[in-house]
């Protein structure tokens, strides 16, 4: 996107800003029962405040809107939040989240890297991507804050933060239960009960479960085709359709206790538990080249130019990865691509394979049946096609009001989880790359705040401190036949203990009722130690002595010898940092406020957690961000119209991105190394709207544009120095244009209310890797959802029919370009096709 486009939209935003005071109404008349914008209370600045009085770019969604949109998972919220991109991890990341805000975020789940977007539940920081794919269960509201939150939250969050607030116990003996059935035999149960134990003691219990069949079929290629590919008898036992991917089985529960011990003291304690036993993340093959033993070149075609791209080749041992039924090696090519322009699958007849939609078919088998040989003596190996997660946590919140002007807050937590998942990286019957992964993590945190107000509200502020300690272990069986030489080893358990300590303070001065000035300062100290452990599957440690290529046979002398020197070796990062925030805001009237802010943030450094050879075990430094932002918030036409807008400029330095090609290493590829690849200027505009034109009709929407430009010097090829990342690239999962809209009509009758709603959202194309390779491009898409519901007049019963992906759009959540890593394949995670569900809810 060019600056000219931004300037046009900027002019429109400025025009709206300048004209708004003329239309603003100081008085609001709600006595006639007309539809008006909601007053949403947020706590983005540590204390309760009206969303429209908070000088931050923030999207707030209450429980009523979540229900109206049918949103039950955190990644769905991004559809309506401008410049926010939330997606589930692909198969190589298991049960986790990819989160980016304004081009800042993180893809890698590994504990060596900090998230770029902070996820909070009831003010408790969730420190890892692998525990951030949260179910939206019994919430009061969600706040999505864009821009650095270094002085406004427990942990520094460079890109922004997403804060989930659970409904607190009221002791009112209320409750609800909902049952839902839908496509793919989806069965969902959700319930809540809130009751009082004593006048000042209340309990709230909530829970959910959801099960659903998979939507990508794993078919046995050998059964369906008459060529040299053997059937998968070890798993399929002669059945063509023996497994699926994408199926879910999730249960979660929460118990919350609220004790109002006195007029001054309130204590909230909660415990939660989540268990997932799901199938593997659905993955299909998009394109495949020839990956063969003995140095045969593999070649892929550019999907956008349809011209041959760079030839990919590798030299392997003479032992075939998969021996065919005719005694010859099975090669990887277009016959394993079930659908699309790069498919030559003979079983695809009119878009269907064995009765299945070919677009949702995979020939993955998670198996390595290679014959045992001196370089690979640990075969056969079977990865598990699973996605499992089990975690629980305890949160505590204590609030004590010394008086009306002084409040003490303590927030403490302990959380732990185990996550397991399998991966068939190539999505073919050929064992090019298979992995089993396990993450074990525990974290405990403590935060104290002292909120104060002096001089009758002239000055208010917060000072506090934060402590977080984490212990993480990552263990994996990593079977990579495509690496030269083949490696098949145990990764870990790599340990990553880390500690964060911080103090912070924010002060707001109100010299007049209309004008406020805010200043915030934060000091953070981080320490992280990553220790490498690489061993053979039998427990022995790779030995680098005699690690050489036999020129006659291409066989290395010892298995996994290139991993020698990576056992019990620690790599440490330690650093400290000051961050600040300055804000000025002015309210022209009750209906219109403007603000300007300057804020900074950072994401901690670390070491490369995945070196293929010892010279890839290199550190990376923290990345930093300075954000300049102006914005306005307006409630117009007697609060029938709400417009909130922001324009920002980010100076983004020492950007941490994962490289797939490392020219500085003795093994340039494969490589998965995080590095500070350079700096960039990022600018954008955001606009959100709510409109109630007539009684019963509501419209909401948002639009955002973003321009990303690297400012780092480039080499003669146009790449950032020392990388294969072009200077015209953009960070992963960063759309340059997003917009959304929702329209709802509520028809009230004596018998109840009939509601119809449609939500649409668009994201322009994104890339899933730092190199922005054409294979890693996820095309832009527009998705629509519809919902029809009936609520009885007493509000006790509700029946709803919901359709997701109304137009049955075929699209990808992510794509993995592993052609450049010598795998010679491109895979993708398809989104779900059109689905429907019918729910019945009883409230009491």
């Amino acid at each position: 996107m060019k600056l000219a486009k931004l300037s046009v939209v900027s002019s429109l935003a400025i025009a709206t800003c300048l004209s708004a005071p003329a239309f603003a109404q100081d008085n609001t008349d709600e006595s006639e029962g007309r539809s008006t914008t909601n007053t949403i209370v947020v706590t983005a600045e540590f204390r309760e405040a009206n969303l429209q009085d908070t000088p931050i770019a923030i999207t707030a969604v209450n429980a009523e809107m979540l229900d109206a949109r049918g949103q039950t998972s955190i990644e769905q919220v991004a559809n309506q939040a401008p410049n926010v991109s939330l997606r589930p991890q692909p198969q190589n990341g298991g049960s986790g989240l990819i989160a980016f805000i304004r081009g800042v975020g993180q893809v890698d789940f590994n504990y060596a890297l900090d998230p770029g977007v902070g996820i909070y539940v009831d003010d408790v920081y969730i420190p890892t991507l692998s525990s951030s794919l949260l179910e939206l269960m019994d919430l009061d509201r969600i706040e999505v804050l864009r821009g650095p939150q270094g002085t406004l939250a427990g942990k520094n969050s460079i890109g922004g933060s997403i804060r989930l607030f659970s409904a607190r116990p009221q002791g009112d003996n209320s409750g609800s239960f909902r049952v839902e059935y839908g496509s793919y035999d989806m069965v969902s149960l959700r319930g809540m009960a809130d009751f009082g134990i004593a006048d000042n003691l209340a309990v709230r219990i909530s829970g959910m479960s959801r099960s659903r069949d998979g939507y990508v079929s794993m078919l046995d290629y050998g059964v369906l085709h008459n060529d040299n590919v053997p059937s998968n008898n070890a798993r399929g036992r002669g059945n063509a359709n023996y497994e699926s991917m994408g199926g879910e089985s999730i249960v979660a529960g929460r118990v919350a206790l609220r004790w109002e011990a006195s007029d001054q003291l309130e204590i909230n304690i909660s415990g939660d538990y989540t268990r997932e036993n799901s199938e593997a993340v659905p993955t299909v093959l998009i394109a495949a080249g020839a990956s063969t033993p003995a140095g045969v070149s593999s070649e892929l075609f550019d999907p956008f130019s349809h011209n041959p791209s760079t030839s990919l080749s590798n030299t392997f041992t003479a032992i075939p990865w998969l021996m065919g039924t005719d005694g010859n090696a099975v090669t990887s090519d277009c016959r394993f691509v079930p659908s699309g322009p790069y498919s030559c699958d003979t079983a695809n007849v009119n878009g269907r394979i064995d009765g299945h939609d070919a677009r949702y078919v995979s020939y993955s088998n998670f198996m390595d049946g290679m014959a045992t040989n001196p370089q690979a003596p640990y075969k056969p190996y079977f990865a598990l096609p699973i996605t499992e997660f089990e975690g629980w946590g305890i949160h505590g919140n204590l609030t004590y009001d010394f008086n009306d002007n002084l409040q003490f807050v303590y927030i403490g937590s302990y959380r732990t989880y185990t996550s397991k998942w399998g991966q068939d990286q190539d999505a073919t019957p050929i064992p090019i790359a298979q992995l089993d992964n396990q993450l074990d993590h525990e974290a405990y945190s403590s935060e104290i705040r002292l909120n104060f107000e002096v001089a009758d509200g002239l000055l208010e502020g917060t000072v506090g401190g934060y402590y977080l300690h984490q212990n993480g272990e990552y263990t994996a069986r990593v079977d990579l036949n495509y690496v030269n030489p083949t490696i098949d080893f145990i990764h870990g358990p790599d340990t990553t203990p880390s500690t964060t300590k911080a103090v912070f303070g924010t002060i707001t001065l109100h010299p007049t009722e209309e004008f406020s000035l805010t200043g915030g300062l934060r000091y953070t100290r981080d320490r992280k130690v990553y220790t490498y452990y690489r061993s053979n599957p039998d427990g022995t440690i790779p030995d680098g002595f005699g690690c050489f290529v036999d020129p006659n046979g291409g066989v290395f002398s010892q298995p996994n010898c290139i991993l020698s020197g990576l056992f019990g070796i620690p790599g440490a990062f330690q650093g400290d940092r000051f961050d600040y925030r300055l804000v000025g805001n002015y309210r022209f009237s009750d209906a219109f406020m403007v603000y300007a802010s300057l804020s900074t943030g950072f994401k901690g450094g670390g070491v490369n957690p995945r070196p293929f050879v010892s010279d890839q075990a290199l550190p990376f430094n923290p990345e930093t961000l300075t954000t300049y932002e102006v914005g306005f918030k307006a409630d117009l036409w007697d609060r029938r119209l709400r417009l909130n807008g922001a324009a920002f400029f980010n100076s983004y330095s020492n950007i941490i991105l994962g490289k797939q090609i490392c020219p500085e290493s003795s093994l340039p590829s494969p490589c998965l190394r995080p590095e500070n690849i350079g700096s960039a200027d990022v600018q954008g505009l955001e606009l959100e709207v709510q409109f109630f034109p007539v009684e019963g009709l509501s419209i909401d929407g948002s639009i955002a544009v973003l321009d990303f430009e690297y400012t780092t010097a480039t080499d003669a090829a146009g790449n950032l120095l020392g990388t294969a990342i072009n200077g015209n690239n953009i960070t992963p999962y960063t759309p340059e244009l997003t917009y959304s809209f929702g329209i709802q009509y509520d028809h009230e009758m004596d018998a109840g209310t009939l509601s119809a709603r449609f939500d649409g959202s668009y994201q322009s194309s994104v890339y899933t890797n730092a190199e922005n390779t054409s294979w890693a491009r996820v095309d832009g898409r527009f998705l629509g959802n519809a919902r029809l519901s009936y609520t009885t007049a007493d509000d006790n019963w509700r029946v709803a029919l919901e359709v997701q992906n109304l137009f049955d759009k075929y699209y990808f959540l992510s794509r993995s370009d592993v052609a450049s890593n010598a795998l010679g394949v491109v895979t993708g995670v398809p989104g779900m096709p059109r689905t429907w569900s019918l729910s019945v809810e009883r409230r009491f």
Side-chain angles (χ1 to χ4, degrees), residues 4 330 413 516 644 649 694 786:
V330 176
S413 73
S516 298
N644 292 346
F649 177 87
V694 297

Side-chain angles (χ1 to χ4, degrees), residues 185-265:
D185 280 335
M186 187 275 291
V187 177
S188 174
L189 303 176
R190 288 178 178 265
M192 176 276 293
D194 192 319
F195 53 91
I197 299 177
D199 290 342
N200 62 348
L201 185 63
V203 174
R204 191 177 182 102
I205 302 174
S206 54
M208 64 78 61
S209 72
R210 183 175 64 251
S211 63
R212 185 190 67 208
D213 293 342
Y215 63 97
V216 169
S217 299
M218 290 173 59
L219 303 184
D220 189 330
Y221 182 93
V223 172
L224 296 173
H225 299 78
N226 186 23
D227 57 22
N228 70 328
V229 179
S231 63
N232 180 15
N233 290 321
R235 281 199 164 134
R237 301 187 183 277
N239 297 314
N241 181 20
Y242 64 94
E243 184 65 88
S244 63
M245 292 187 283
E248 287 186 332
S249 178
I250 302 172
V251 295
R254 181 176 180 269
V255 178
L257 180 72
R258 184 181 187 184
W259 181 33
E260 297 175 284
S262 68
D263 292 340
Q264 294 174 289
L265 177 63

